[in-house]
Every structure is written in structure tokens, then in C-alpha cells.
């Protein structure tokens, strides 16, 4: 299989951990999307009213792609939700082959992030703008701390 981790059932919002030897790449990506929303809610970048807004349906996958790319920079392959390692070489065959295009696209974003040598402020700005998916006004400049 292509990845290994302990699954954190983010979509059910419970706290117990279920060991899983062969998680789906799609499950890991979904968990990452939900984690991005959870973080945005806890940091008050999203409100509960925003959860019904169309921009969020576009922003969740964009935020997850960006987050996976940022988390994966120091590692070979991809690291999803901090716990799942996806070995790109193992995705070429088997039941995870359908996730290959997604992973290739995330790898391109990862390599671009590496080449840009982003600052912490730039990463925060990109996370926010990805999640909003043009559904909410964000500053045109990166805020300085």
C-alpha cells in the first residue's frame, strides 16, 4: 500500500484513534481538508456561519493541497495531516492509482513552495487565501508581524 498512519476520524469529530495499516489516500486527503477547517475555526479565520458558504466547498480542497505541500517539504513523497506518508512510487499501480493525479499535482505545489523559500507570514497568508477561494476579501498584501 502507498501510505501508513494512525487514522484520527476527523470527519466524525471523535477523539479515539483507530490503527489502520492501509488507509486510503482519499481518506487521508479528506481528513486533511477537515483539519484545515478545524484550524481555521479555532483561529477564528472562519465562523460557523461560513460553513454553509459556497466558497468553502472550493477552498477546502485548495487549503488541503497547500497544507500537504507545506507539511511535505522536508520529506520524500507526501505527508498528509501530519501522520500519513504517501510513497509516490507505490501509487502507480493498485487501488490507489486513481489518486496519482492528485498526488502529482500536490508534488508540483510542494516543489514550488520549496523553491520560493516561504516565510511564516507568507505561509499563513497563503493558507488563508486558499481556504477563502475568493469568497471573502483578504488583504492584498501579506501582513507583517
Amino acid at each position: 500500500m502507498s501510505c501508513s498512519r494512525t487514522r484520527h476520524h476527523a470527519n466524525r469529530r471523535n477523539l479515539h484513534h483507530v490503527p489502520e495499516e492501509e488507509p486510503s489516500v482519499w481518506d487521508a486527503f479528506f481528513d486533511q481538508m477537515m483539519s484545515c477547517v478545524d484550524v481555521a475555526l479555532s483561529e477564528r479565520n472562519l465562523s460557523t456561519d461560513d460553513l454553509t458558504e459556497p466558497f468553502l466547498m472550493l477552498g477546502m480542497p485548495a487549503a488541503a493541497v497547500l497544507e500537504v505541500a507545506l507539511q511535505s517539504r522536508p520529506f520524500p513523497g507526501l505527508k498528509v495531516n501530519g501522520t500519513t506518508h504517501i510513497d509516490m512510487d507505490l501509487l502507480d499501480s493498485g487501488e490507489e492509482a486513481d489518486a496519482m493525479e492528485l498526488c502529482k499535482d500536490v508534488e508540483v505545489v510542494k516543489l514550488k513552495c520549496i523553491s520560493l523559500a516561504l516565510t511564516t507570514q507568507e505561509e499563513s497568508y497563503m493558507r488563508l487565501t486558499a481556504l477563502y477561494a475568493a469568497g471573502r476579501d483578504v488583504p492584498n498584501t501579506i501582513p507583517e508581524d
Side-chain angles (χ1 to χ4, degrees), residues 4 8 12 16 27 34 36 43-44 48 50 60 62-65 76 86 93 97 106 109 111 130 134 143-144:
S4 60
H8 297 272
R12 295 189 190 137
H16 65 274
D27 284 344
M34 297 309 296
C36 290
E43 293 177 352
R44 301 194 189 286
T48 53
D50 291 331
M60 285 178 12
V65 165
I86 299 173
S93 61
V106 175
V109 175
L111 294 173
E144 295 186 25

Side-chain angles (χ1 to χ4, degrees), residues 4 16 18 27-28 37 40 46 51 62 70 82 88 91 119 134-135 140 145:
S4 60
H16 65 274
V18 178
D27 284 344
V37 171
L46 284 178
L51 298 178
L70 292 173
M88 300 288 285
L91 285 177
T119 66
N140 289 331
D145 289 338

Side-chain angles (χ1 to χ4, degrees), residues 5-12 14 16-20 23-24 27-28 30-31 83-84:
R5 69 180 173 140
T6 299
R7 188 169 181 192
H8 297 272
H9 294 290
N11 55 338
R12 295 189 190 137
N14 58 24
H16 65 274
H17 304 278
V18 178
E20 205 175 85
S24 160
D27 284 344
F30 178 80
D31 288 349
T83 58
T84 301

Side-chain angles (χ1 to χ4, degrees), residues 1 3 19 40 51 64 66 80 83 111 123:
M1 183 51 69
C3 47
L51 298 178
L66 177 63
V80 183
T83 58
L111 294 173
E123 288 178 18

Side-chain angles (χ1 to χ4, degrees), residues 89-140:
D89 295 331
L90 297 177
L91 285 177
D92 287 330
S93 61
E95 61 189 57
E96 298 291 344
D98 65 328
M100 189 60 168
E101 286 304 311
L102 169 67
C103 292
K104 284 180 180 178
D105 290 342
V106 175
E107 186 72 18
V108 168
V109 175
K110 170 187 163 181
L111 294 173
K112 188 63 174 176
C113 289
I114 291 169
S115 73
L116 291 172
L118 300 167
T119 66
T120 303
Q121 293 88 359
E122 290 168 334
E123 288 178 18
S124 295
Y125 181 77
M126 289 175 67
R127 284 180 174 109
L128 191 60
T129 56
L131 190 61
Y132 286 168
R136 179 183 283 175
D137 290 336
V138 293
N140 289 331

